[in-house]
Amino acid sequence: MPAALGNLARLARTLRPLSLSQLAWRGRRVVARRLPVRGDRWRPAIDGRALAGAVRADDFPEVPIVHRLAPSGDDAVRQLIAGEFCQLNRSEHLGRVRPDWQLGPRAEHRLWTVTLHYHAWAYELAEAVRRGGGASADAESTFVAYLSDWIERCDLNVAGARPLAWNAYAVATRIGWWIRSYLALGSGWWQARPAVQGRFLESLWQQSEYLAAHVEWDLRGNHLLRDASGLAWAGRFFRGERPRRWQELAARLARDQVREQVLEDGGHFERSPMYQLHVMDDVLALAVLVEDRDAREELRAVWAQMAEYAAWMRHPD
């Protein structure tokens, strides 16, 4: 088959199962990407130091980490301190000073770059600071340097930041790892560094608002549950009218999507063992974080059903 006909056939197979609403949302996304970015639109109305008063960290529920996205432990921390980022079985030296955040459209290793912007590595550094020990001082300075640099050079208004660094799935994932990092370090650590705290909270709020405005209705599937998870993290972390709306959207999305995506046997409808675990991670976070009691109970029941399916799917080894 000629290449052109093969591409047309693949396009037809891709479009066949899509709903009209997905096609409409996809068209809207394509148009929006061609318009100028207005990152300030999603910034908080108050500065970061005042925003610290809206944080609900002291009574934040514990969300178990089911699986990590990057290597953990002392060796991983030493690599990060040296400017080496390892994930998805691939290591790249991005630099310790002004790291190469790989902005702009990328034809190769796109998943690696998107995963870089999940910021699971930030949590590894925060945990190293919390544990203490010989590497804690370097881990602390690296954590502050990387996040400060990312906030400045990957801002939504920066050319090339939107395609991958501000991909909605990446934003939703990053919100969770940022909040885990904040909690790991503790309120006292942040209060002793008001300038760092202010920049961090302003960016976290902006990312949360951006995510609420860019829910992935065009892709749907597991992406919608990750978006809901990110909104639940943010809505539980901050107090106020806007966070309450993020919480409500998260609960509504979660309940609608588990009913659509989790089948009677507990399996995820995309029938991928990897997606099964990713979705279980999101459902578990949602079951802990959403404040609607009925939604929490439903999500806990769904997670137990999915866990039983996953247990049956495990290989003997």
Side-chain angles (χ1 to χ4, degrees):
M1 179 184 294
L5 290 178
N7 289 338
L8 284 174
R10 183 172 60 211
L11 178 63
R13 289 194 300 271
T14 302
L15 295 178
R16 187 182 304 122
L18 299 183
S19 65
L20 289 177
S21 66
Q22 283 180 277
L23 294 174
W25 277 104
R26 172 55 63 176
R28 180 177 175 180
R29 289 275 189 267
V30 170
V31 172
R33 286 171 185 163
R34 298 178 182 274
L35 299 175
V37 180
R38 293 187 297 150
D40 293 340
R41 175 181 177 184
W42 295 286
R43 292 191 188 280
I46 57 178
D47 66 35
R49 297 191 185 196
L51 200 57
V55 170
R56 297 193 293 169
D58 292 339
D59 64 341
F60 203 92
E62 182 178 353
V63 182
I65 297 177
V66 178
H67 58 275
R68 294 177 183 266
L69 296 173
S72 60
D74 293 340
D75 288 342
V77 170
R78 281 191 287 269
Q79 285 182 320
L80 289 167
I81 291 170
E84 193 84 16
F85 290 75
C86 181
Q87 56 194 22
L88 303 181
N89 297 318
R90 175 185 174 85
S91 293
E92 288 202 23
H93 184 78
L94 304 184
R96 172 65 171 78
V97 179
R98 295 182 70 80
D100 175 11
W101 297 117
Q102 305 195 3
L103 301 183
R106 302 186 68 85
E108 296 183 351
H109 305 302
R110 284 173 54 85
L111 179 58
W112 195 96
T113 301
V114 172
T115 304
L116 172 70
H117 291 288
Y118 291 170
H119 287 198
W121 49 262
Y123 179 72
E124 296 304 326
L125 291 168
E127 275 285 276
V129 177
R130 185 189 63 80
R131 288 194 303 267
S136 63
D138 286 339
E140 180 176 86
S141 62
T142 303
F143 176 84
V144 172
Y146 282 166
L147 282 188
S148 298
D149 189 81
W150 188 92
I151 290 169
E152 175 191 349
R153 294 175 53 230
C154 298
D155 183 82
L156 190 54
N157 290 324
V158 172
R162 185 161 52 160
L164 298 180
W166 286 79
N167 168 285
Y169 190 94
V171 173
T173 308
R174 186 165 61 241
I175 287 170
W177 288 115
W178 271 35
I179 293 175
R180 287 188 191 274
S181 300
Y182 191 99
L183 298 171
L185 291 169
S187 298
W189 187 93
W190 292 95
Q191 290 166 7
R193 298 160 181 81
V196 176
Q197 182 186 41
R199 290 194 300 270
F200 181 92
L201 293 178
E202 285 180 13
S203 180
L204 181 58
W205 182 283
Q206 182 189 29
Q207 292 175 58
S208 305
E209 280 281 63
Y210 182 86
L211 176 61
H214 292 83
V215 173
E216 296 169 278
W217 294 110
D218 53 333
L219 295 177
R220 299 183 67 87
N222 68 91
H223 282 246
L224 283 181
L225 281 168
R226 178 56 54 87
D227 295 348
S229 175
L231 291 168
W233 275 101
R236 180 60 183 78
F237 184 73
F238 290 110
R239 62 170 57 87
E241 177 61 23
R242 295 301 303 168
R244 185 182 63 78
R245 294 185 187 180
W246 302 337
Q247 266 279 335
E248 290 173 352
L249 177 55
R252 188 166 65 251
L253 263 176
R255 298 185 82 174
D256 288 347
Q257 291 306 307
V258 294
R259 293 169 184 173
E260 176 181 328
Q261 296 188 36
V262 181
L263 305 179
E264 290 184 4
D265 61 5
H268 185 248
F269 73 168
E270 294 183 66
R271 288 312 201 200
S272 160
M274 180 184 70
Y275 282 0
Q276 177 83 12
L277 297 180
H278 282 304
V279 170
M280 285 176 64
D281 216 7
D282 291 328
V283 172
L284 179 60
L286 286 158
V288 173
L289 294 171
V290 296
E291 296 181 285
D292 181 294
R293 181 178 300 177
D294 292 339
R296 280 203 310 270
E297 292 303 317
E298 180 176 351
L299 292 166
R300 287 171 181 170
V302 169
W303 190 88
Q305 187 182 17
M306 295 187 77
E308 183 175 357
Y309 180 91
W312 279 104
M313 286 291 290
R314 290 181 63 185
H315 287 271
D317 60 358

